[in-house]
Coordinates of all heavy atoms in Angstrom, one line a residue:
T100 N -2.6 -9.9 1.4 CA -2.0 -8.9 2.3 C -2.5 -7.5 2.1 O -2.3 -6.9 1.1 CB -0.5 -9.0 2.2 OG1 0.0 -10.3 2.2 CG2 0.2 -8.2 3.3
S101 N -3.1 -6.9 3.2 CA -3.5 -5.5 3.1 C -2.3 -4.6 3.0 O -1.4 -4.8 3.9 CB -4.4 -5.2 4.3 OG -5.6 -6.0 4.3
A102 N -2.3 -3.7 2.1 CA -1.2 -2.8 1.9 C -1.4 -1.6 2.9 O -2.1 -0.7 2.6 CB -1.1 -2.3 0.5
T103 N -0.8 -1.7 4.1 CA -0.9 -0.6 5.1 C 0.4 0.2 5.2 O 1.4 -0.3 4.8 CB -1.2 -1.2 6.4 OG1 -0.1 -2.0 6.9 CG2 -2.4 -2.2 6.4
L104 N 0.2 1.4 5.7 CA 1.4 2.3 5.9 C 2.4 1.6 6.8 O 3.6 1.8 6.6 CB 1.0 3.6 6.4 CG 0.3 4.6 5.4 CD1 -0.2 5.8 6.1 CD2 1.3 5.0 4.3
E105 N 1.9 0.9 7.8 CA 2.8 0.3 8.8 C 3.6 -0.8 8.1 O 4.9 -0.9 8.3 CB 2.1 -0.3 10.0 CG 2.9 -0.8 11.1 CD 3.8 0.2 11.7 OE1 3.5 1.4 11.7 OE2 4.9 -0.2 12.2
R106 N 3.0 -1.6 7.3 CA 3.7 -2.7 6.6 C 4.6 -2.2 5.6 O 5.7 -2.8 5.3 CB 2.7 -3.7 6.0 CG 2.0 -4.6 7.0 CD 0.9 -5.4 6.3 NE 0.3 -6.4 7.3 CZ -0.9 -6.9 7.2 NH1 -1.6 -6.6 6.2 NH2 -1.4 -7.7 8.1
A107 N 4.3 -1.0 5.0 CA 5.1 -0.5 3.9 C 6.4 0.1 4.5 O 7.3 0.5 3.7 CB 4.3 0.6 3.2
K108 N 6.6 0.2 5.8 CA 7.8 0.5 6.4 C 8.9 -0.6 6.2 O 10.1 -0.4 6.2 CB 7.7 0.8 7.9 CG 6.9 2.1 8.2 CD 6.7 2.2 9.7 CE 5.8 3.4 10.1 NZ 5.6 3.5 11.5
S109 N 8.3 -1.8 6.0 CA 9.2 -3.0 6.0 C 9.3 -3.6 4.6 O 10.4 -4.2 4.2 CB 8.7 -4.1 6.9 OG 8.6 -3.6 8.2
V110 N 8.3 -3.5 3.8 CA 8.3 -4.1 2.4 C 7.6 -3.1 1.5 O 7.0 -2.2 1.8 CB 7.5 -5.4 2.4 CG1 8.1 -6.5 3.3 CG2 6.0 -5.2 2.8
N111 N 7.8 -3.4 0.2 CA 7.1 -2.6 -0.9 C 5.9 -3.4 -1.4 O 5.9 -4.6 -1.4 CB 8.1 -2.4 -2.0 CG 9.2 -1.4 -1.7 OD1 8.9 -0.4 -1.0 ND2 10.3 -1.5 -2.3
F112 N 4.9 -2.6 -1.8 CA 3.7 -3.1 -2.3 C 3.4 -2.6 -3.7 O 3.8 -1.5 -4.1 CB 2.5 -2.7 -1.5 CG 2.3 -3.4 -0.2 CD1 2.8 -2.8 1.0 CD2 1.8 -4.7 -0.1 CE1 2.7 -3.5 2.2 CE2 1.7 -5.3 1.1 CZ 2.1 -4.7 2.3
T113 N 2.8 -3.5 -4.5 CA 2.3 -3.1 -5.9 C 1.0 -2.4 -5.8 O 0.4 -2.3 -4.7 CB 2.1 -4.3 -6.7 OG1 1.1 -5.1 -6.2 CG2 3.4 -5.2 -6.8
I114 N 0.5 -1.9 -6.9 CA -0.8 -1.4 -6.9 C -1.8 -2.6 -6.6 O -1.4 -3.7 -6.8 CB -1.2 -0.8 -8.3 CG1 -1.0 -1.8 -9.4 CG2 -0.3 0.5 -8.6 CD1 -1.5 -1.3 -10.8
P115 N -3.0 -2.3 -6.1 CA -3.8 -3.4 -5.7 C -4.3 -4.4 -6.8 O -4.6 -3.9 -7.9 CB -5.1 -2.7 -5.1 CG -4.6 -1.3 -4.8 CD -3.5 -1.0 -5.8
Y116 N -4.2 -5.7 -6.5 CA -4.7 -6.7 -7.4 C -6.0 -7.2 -6.9 O -6.6 -8.1 -7.6 CB -3.7 -7.8 -7.6 CG -3.5 -8.7 -6.4 CD1 -4.2 -10.0 -6.4 CD2 -2.7 -8.4 -5.4 CE1 -4.1 -10.8 -5.3 CE2 -2.6 -9.2 -4.3 CZ -3.3 -10.4 -4.2 OH -3.1 -11.2 -3.1
N117 N -6.5 -6.7 -5.8 CA -7.8 -7.1 -5.2 C -8.1 -6.1 -4.1 O -7.2 -5.3 -3.7 CB -7.7 -8.5 -4.6 CG -9.1 -9.1 -4.4 OD1 -10.2 -8.5 -4.8 ND2 -9.2 -10.3 -3.9
R118 N -9.3 -6.0 -3.7 CA -9.6 -5.2 -2.5 C -10.6 -6.0 -1.6 O -11.3 -6.9 -2.1 CB -10.3 -3.9 -2.9 CG -9.5 -2.9 -3.8 CD -10.2 -1.6 -3.9 NE -10.0 -0.8 -2.7 CZ -9.0 0.0 -2.4 NH1 -8.1 0.2 -3.3 NH2 -9.0 0.7 -1.3
A119 N -10.5 -5.7 -0.4 CA -11.4 -6.4 0.6 C -11.6 -5.5 1.8 O -10.8 -4.7 2.1 CB -10.8 -7.8 1.0
G120 N -12.7 -5.8 2.5 CA -13.0 -5.0 3.7 C -13.1 -6.0 4.9 O -13.5 -7.2 4.7
L121 N -12.9 -5.5 6.1 CA -13.1 -6.3 7.3 C -14.6 -6.5 7.5 O -15.4 -5.6 7.4 CB -12.5 -5.6 8.5 CG -11.0 -5.6 8.6 CD1 -10.5 -4.8 9.8 CD2 -10.4 -7.0 8.6
R122 N -15.0 -7.8 7.7 CA -16.4 -8.1 8.0 C -16.4 -9.0 9.2 O -15.4 -9.7 9.6 CB -17.0 -8.8 6.8 CG -18.6 -8.8 6.9 CD -19.2 -9.6 5.9 NE -19.1 -9.1 4.5 CZ -19.8 -8.1 4.0 NH1 -20.7 -7.4 4.8 NH2 -19.7 -7.8 2.7
V123 N -17.5 -9.0 9.9 CA -17.7 -9.9 11.1 C -18.7 -10.9 10.8 O -19.8 -10.7 10.1 CB -18.2 -9.0 12.3 CG1 -18.6 -9.9 13.5 CG2 -17.1 -8.1 12.8
I124 N -18.4 -12.2 11.2 CA -19.3 -13.3 11.0 C -19.7 -13.8 12.4 O -18.8 -13.8 13.3 CB -18.7 -14.4 10.1 CG1 -19.8 -15.4 9.7 CG2 -17.5 -15.1 10.8 CD1 -19.3 -16.3 8.6
V125 N -20.9 -14.2 12.6 CA -21.4 -14.6 14.0 C -22.2 -15.9 13.9 O -22.7 -16.2 12.8 CB -22.2 -13.5 14.7 CG1 -21.4 -12.2 14.8 CG2 -23.5 -13.2 13.9
Q126 N -22.3 -16.5 15.0 CA -23.3 -17.6 15.1 C -24.7 -17.1 14.8 O -25.1 -16.1 15.4 CB -23.2 -18.3 16.5 CG -21.8 -18.8 16.9 CD -21.3 -20.0 16.1 OE1 -22.1 -20.6 15.3 NE2 -20.0 -20.3 16.2
A127 N -25.4 -17.8 14.0 CA -26.8 -17.3 13.6 C -27.7 -17.2 14.8 O -28.6 -16.3 14.8 CB -27.4 -18.3 12.6
D128 N -27.5 -18.0 15.9 CA -28.3 -18.0 17.1 C -27.7 -17.2 18.2 O -28.1 -17.3 19.4 CB -28.7 -19.4 17.5 CG -27.4 -20.2 17.9 OD1 -26.3 -19.7 17.7 OD2 -27.6 -21.4 18.2
S129 N -26.7 -16.4 17.9 CA -25.9 -15.7 19.0 C -26.6 -14.5 19.5 O -26.4 -14.0 20.6 CB -24.5 -15.3 18.5 OG -24.6 -14.3 17.5
G130 N -27.5 -13.9 18.7 CA -28.2 -12.6 19.1 C -27.3 -11.4 18.8 O -27.8 -10.3 19.1
I131 N -26.1 -11.6 18.3 CA -25.2 -10.5 18.0 C -25.7 -9.8 16.6 O -25.7 -10.5 15.6 CB -23.8 -10.9 17.9 CG1 -23.3 -11.6 19.2 CG2 -22.9 -9.7 17.5 CD1 -21.9 -12.2 19.1
T132 N -26.0 -8.6 16.7 CA -26.5 -7.9 15.5 C -25.6 -6.7 15.1 O -25.9 -6.0 14.1 CB -27.9 -7.4 15.7 OG1 -28.0 -6.6 16.8 CG2 -28.9 -8.6 15.9
S133 N -24.6 -6.4 15.9 CA -23.8 -5.2 15.6 C -22.4 -5.4 16.1 O -22.1 -6.3 16.9 CB -24.4 -3.9 16.3 OG -24.3 -4.1 17.7
L134 N -21.5 -4.5 15.7 CA -20.1 -4.6 16.2 C -20.0 -4.5 17.7 O -19.3 -5.2 18.4 CB -19.3 -3.5 15.5 CG -17.8 -3.5 15.8 CD1 -17.2 -4.7 15.1 CD2 -17.2 -2.2 15.2
E135 N -20.9 -3.6 18.3 CA -20.9 -3.4 19.7 C -21.3 -4.7 20.5 O -20.9 -4.9 21.6 CB -21.8 -2.3 20.1 CG -21.4 -0.9 19.6 CD -21.5 -0.7 18.1 OE1 -22.4 -1.4 17.5 OE2 -20.8 0.2 17.5
G136 N -22.0 -5.5 19.8 CA -22.4 -6.8 20.4 C -21.3 -7.8 20.7 O -21.5 -8.8 21.3
L137 N -20.1 -7.5 20.2 CA -19.0 -8.4 20.4 C -18.3 -8.1 21.8 O -17.5 -8.9 22.2 CB -17.9 -8.1 19.3 CG -18.3 -8.4 17.9 CD1 -17.2 -8.1 16.9 CD2 -18.8 -9.9 17.7
A138 N -18.7 -7.1 22.5 CA -18.2 -6.8 23.8 C -18.4 -8.1 24.7 O -19.5 -8.6 24.9 CB -18.9 -5.6 24.4
G139 N -17.3 -8.5 25.3 CA -17.3 -9.7 26.2 C -17.5 -11.0 25.5 O -17.6 -12.0 26.2
K140 N -17.5 -11.0 24.2 CA -17.7 -12.3 23.4 C -16.4 -12.8 22.9 O -15.4 -12.1 22.7 CB -18.6 -12.0 22.2 CG -20.0 -11.5 22.6 CD -20.8 -12.5 23.4 CE -22.2 -12.0 23.7 NZ -23.0 -12.9 24.5
K141 N -16.3 -14.1 22.7 CA -15.2 -14.7 22.1 C -15.2 -14.5 20.6 O -16.1 -15.0 19.9 CB -15.1 -16.2 22.5 CG -14.9 -16.5 23.9 CD -14.8 -18.0 24.2 CE -14.4 -18.3 25.6 NZ -14.3 -19.8 25.9
V142 N -14.1 -13.9 20.1 CA -14.0 -13.6 18.7 C -12.7 -14.2 18.2 O -11.6 -13.8 18.6 CB -14.1 -12.1 18.4 CG1 -14.1 -11.8 16.9 CG2 -15.3 -11.4 19.1
V143 N -12.8 -15.1 17.2 CA -11.6 -15.6 16.6 C -11.0 -14.7 15.6 O -11.7 -14.0 14.8 CB -11.8 -17.0 16.0 CG1 -12.7 -16.9 14.8 CG2 -10.5 -17.7 15.7
V144 N -9.6 -14.5 15.7 CA -9.0 -13.5 14.8 C -7.6 -14.0 14.5 O -6.9 -14.7 15.2 CB -8.9 -12.2 15.6 CG1 -8.0 -12.3 16.8 CG2 -8.3 -11.1 14.7
G145 N -7.2 -13.7 13.2 CA -5.8 -14.1 12.8 C -4.8 -13.3 13.4 O -4.9 -12.1 13.5
R146 N -3.8 -13.9 14.0 CA -2.7 -13.2 14.6 C -1.9 -12.4 13.6 O -1.5 -12.8 12.5 CB -1.7 -14.2 15.3 CG -0.7 -13.6 16.2 CD 0.3 -14.7 16.7 NE -0.4 -15.8 17.3 CZ -0.9 -15.9 18.5 NH1 -0.8 -14.9 19.3 NH2 -1.5 -17.0 18.9
G147 N -1.7 -11.1 14.0 CA -0.9 -10.2 13.1 C -1.7 -9.7 11.9 O -1.1 -9.2 11.0
T148 N -3.0 -9.8 12.0 CA -3.8 -9.3 10.8 C -4.4 -7.9 11.1 O -4.4 -7.4 12.3 CB -5.0 -10.3 10.6 OG1 -5.9 -10.3 11.7 CG2 -4.5 -11.7 10.3
T149 N -5.0 -7.3 10.1 CA -5.6 -6.0 10.3 C -6.9 -6.1 11.1 O -7.3 -5.2 11.8 CB -5.9 -5.4 8.9 OG1 -6.7 -6.3 8.1 CG2 -4.7 -5.0 8.1
G150 N -7.5 -7.3 11.1 CA -8.7 -7.5 11.9 C -8.4 -7.4 13.4 O -9.1 -6.9 14.2
E151 N -7.2 -8.0 13.8 CA -6.8 -7.9 15.2 C -6.6 -6.5 15.6 O -7.1 -6.1 16.6 CB -5.5 -8.7 15.3 CG -4.9 -8.6 16.8 CD -3.5 -9.1 16.8 OE1 -2.9 -9.5 15.8 OE2 -2.9 -9.0 17.9
T152 N -5.9 -5.7 14.8 CA -5.6 -4.3 15.1 C -6.9 -3.5 15.2 O -7.1 -2.7 16.1 CB -4.7 -3.7 14.0 OG1 -3.5 -4.5 13.9 CG2 -4.4 -2.3 14.3
F153 N -7.8 -3.7 14.3 CA -9.1 -3.0 14.3 C -9.9 -3.3 15.5 O -10.4 -2.4 16.2 CB -9.9 -3.3 13.0 CG -11.3 -2.9 13.1 CD1 -11.6 -1.5 12.8 CD2 -12.4 -3.7 13.4 CE1 -12.9 -1.1 12.9 CE2 -13.7 -3.3 13.4 CZ -14.0 -2.0 13.2
L154 N -10.0 -4.6 15.9 CA -10.9 -5.0 17.0 C -10.4 -4.5 18.3 O -11.1 -4.2 19.2 CB -11.1 -6.5 16.9 CG -12.4 -7.0 17.5 CD1 -13.6 -6.4 16.7 CD2 -12.5 -8.5 17.4
K155 N -9.1 -4.5 18.5 CA -8.5 -4.1 19.7 C -8.9 -2.6 20.0 O -9.0 -2.2 21.2 CB -6.9 -4.2 19.7 CG -6.4 -5.6 19.9 CD -4.9 -5.6 19.9 CE -4.4 -7.0 20.3 NZ -2.9 -7.0 20.3
T156 N -9.0 -1.8 19.0 CA -9.4 -0.4 19.2 C -10.9 -0.3 19.2 O -11.5 0.4 20.1 CB -8.9 0.4 18.0 OG1 -7.4 0.3 18.0 CG2 -9.3 1.9 18.2
A157 N -11.7 -0.9 18.3 CA -13.1 -0.8 18.2 C -13.9 -1.4 19.3 O -14.9 -0.8 19.8 CB -13.6 -1.3 16.8
V158 N -13.5 -2.6 19.7 CA -14.2 -3.3 20.8 C -13.1 -3.9 21.7 O -12.8 -5.1 21.7 CB -15.1 -4.4 20.3 CG1 -16.0 -5.0 21.4 CG2 -15.9 -4.0 19.1
P159 N -12.5 -3.1 22.6 CA -11.4 -3.5 23.4 C -11.8 -4.6 24.4 O -10.9 -5.3 25.0 CB -10.9 -2.2 24.1 CG -12.1 -1.3 24.0 CD -12.8 -1.6 22.7
T160 N -13.1 -4.7 24.7 CA -13.5 -5.7 25.7 C -13.8 -7.1 25.1 O -14.2 -8.0 25.8 CB -14.7 -5.2 26.5 OG1 -15.8 -4.9 25.6 CG2 -14.4 -4.0 27.3
A161 N -13.7 -7.2 23.8 CA -13.9 -8.5 23.1 C -12.8 -9.4 23.5 O -11.6 -9.0 23.7 CB -14.0 -8.3 21.6
E162 N -13.1 -10.7 23.7 CA -12.1 -11.7 24.1 C -11.6 -12.3 22.8 O -12.2 -13.1 22.2 CB -12.8 -12.8 25.0 CG -11.8 -13.8 25.5 CD -12.4 -14.9 26.3 OE1 -13.5 -14.7 26.8 OE2 -11.8 -16.0 26.5
L163 N -10.4 -11.9 22.5 CA -9.8 -12.4 21.2 C -9.2 -13.8 21.4 O -8.5 -14.1 22.3 CB -8.7 -11.4 20.8 CG -9.1 -10.0 20.6 CD1 -7.9 -9.2 19.9 CD2 -10.3 -9.9 19.7
V164 N -9.6 -14.6 20.4 CA -9.1 -16.0 20.4 C -8.2 -16.1 19.1 O -8.7 -16.0 18.0 CB -10.2 -17.0 20.3 CG1 -9.7 -18.4 20.2 CG2 -11.1 -16.9 21.5
Y165 N -6.9 -16.3 19.3 CA -5.9 -16.2 18.2 C -5.7 -17.5 17.5 O -5.7 -18.6 18.1 CB -4.6 -15.7 18.7 CG -4.6 -14.3 19.2 CD1 -4.7 -13.9 20.5 CD2 -4.5 -13.2 18.2 CE1 -4.7 -12.6 20.9 CE2 -4.5 -11.9 18.6 CZ -4.6 -11.6 19.9 OH -4.6 -10.3 20.3
V166 N -5.6 -17.4 16.2 CA -5.2 -18.5 15.3 C -4.1 -18.0 14.3 O -4.2 -16.9 14.0 CB -6.4 -19.2 14.6 CG1 -7.4 -19.8 15.5 CG2 -7.1 -18.1 13.7
D167 N -3.3 -18.9 14.0 CA -2.3 -18.6 12.9 C -2.8 -18.7 11.5 O -2.4 -18.1 10.6 CB -1.0 -19.4 13.1 CG -0.2 -19.0 14.4 OD1 -0.2 -17.8 14.7 OD2 0.3 -19.9 15.1
Q168 N -3.8 -19.7 11.4 CA -4.4 -19.9 10.1 C -5.9 -19.8 10.3 O -6.5 -20.6 11.1 CB -4.1 -21.3 9.6 CG -2.6 -21.4 9.1 CD -2.5 -20.9 7.7 OE1 -3.3 -20.2 7.2 NE2 -1.4 -21.3 7.1
F169 N -6.6 -18.9 9.7 CA -8.0 -18.8 9.9 C -8.8 -20.0 9.4 O -9.7 -20.4 10.1 CB -8.6 -17.6 9.1 CG -10.1 -17.3 9.3 CD1 -10.5 -16.8 10.5 CD2 -11.0 -17.7 8.3 CE1 -11.9 -16.6 10.7 CE2 -12.3 -17.5 8.5 CZ -12.8 -17.0 9.8
A170 N -8.3 -20.6 8.4 CA -8.8 -21.9 8.0 C -7.6 -22.9 7.9 O -6.6 -22.5 7.3 CB -9.5 -21.9 6.6
P171 N -7.7 -24.0 8.6 CA -9.0 -24.6 9.1 C -9.2 -24.2 10.6 O -10.3 -24.4 11.1 CB -8.7 -26.1 9.0 CG -7.2 -26.2 9.3 CD -6.6 -25.0 8.6
D172 N -8.2 -23.6 11.3 CA -8.4 -23.4 12.7 C -9.5 -22.5 13.1 O -10.3 -22.9 14.0 CB -7.1 -22.9 13.3 CG -5.9 -23.8 13.0 OD1 -6.1 -25.0 12.9 OD2 -4.7 -23.3 12.9
G173 N -9.6 -21.3 12.6 CA -10.7 -20.4 12.9 C -12.0 -20.9 12.5 O -13.0 -20.8 13.2
V174 N -12.1 -21.4 11.3 CA -13.3 -21.9 10.8 C -13.8 -23.1 11.7 O -15.0 -23.2 12.0 CB -13.2 -22.4 9.3 CG1 -14.4 -23.2 8.8 CG2 -12.9 -21.2 8.4
L175 N -12.9 -23.9 12.1 CA -13.3 -25.1 12.9 C -13.9 -24.6 14.3 O -14.9 -25.1 14.8 CB -12.1 -26.0 13.2 CG -12.4 -27.3 13.9 CD1 -13.3 -28.2 13.1 CD2 -11.1 -28.0 14.2
Q176 N -13.3 -23.6 14.8 CA -13.8 -23.0 16.1 C -15.2 -22.4 15.9 O -16.0 -22.6 16.8 CB -12.8 -22.0 16.7 CG -11.5 -22.5 17.0 CD -10.8 -21.8 18.2 OE1 -11.5 -21.3 19.1 NE2 -9.5 -21.7 18.1
L177 N -15.4 -21.8 14.8 CA -16.8 -21.3 14.5 C -17.7 -22.5 14.3 O -18.8 -22.4 14.9 CB -16.7 -20.5 13.3 CG -16.2 -19.0 13.4 CD1 -15.9 -18.5 12.0 CD2 -17.2 -18.1 14.1
Q178 N -17.4 -23.4 13.6 CA -18.3 -24.6 13.3 C -18.6 -25.4 14.5 O -19.7 -25.9 14.7 CB -17.7 -25.4 12.2 CG -17.7 -24.8 10.8 CD -16.9 -25.5 9.8 OE1 -16.1 -26.4 10.1 NE2 -17.3 -25.3 8.5
Q179 N -17.6 -25.5 15.5 CA -17.8 -26.2 16.7 C -18.4 -25.3 17.8 O -18.6 -25.8 18.9 CB -16.5 -26.8 17.2 CG -15.9 -27.9 16.3 CD -14.6 -28.4 16.7 OE1 -13.9 -27.8 17.6 NE2 -14.2 -29.5 16.2

Side-chain angles (χ1 to χ4, degrees):
T100 310
S101 299
T103 66
L104 285 173
E105 186 61 31
R106 286 176 177 155
K108 294 176 183 176
S109 304
V110 297
N111 285 329
F112 285 100
T113 65
I114 61 175
Y116 72 98
N117 198 6
R118 297 190 76 91
L121 289 175
R122 197 187 293 283
V123 172
I124 194 168
V125 301
Q126 303 291 348
D128 58 0
S129 67
I131 301 171
T132 59
S133 66
L134 187 66
E135 293 73 24
L137 298 180
K140 302 294 186 180
K141 290 184 177 180
V142 185
V143 68
V144 62
R146 192 184 309 275
T148 62
T149 52
E151 175 194 2
T152 303
F153 169 78
L154 210 57
K155 281 182 174 179
T156 301
V158 192
T160 57
E162 182 181 342
L163 303 188
V164 178
Y165 290 98
V166 292
D167 290 320
Q168 290 276 16
F169 184 74
D172 301 331
V174 172
L175 187 62
Q176 294 210 34
L177 282 165
Q178 292 172 336
Q179 294 179 345

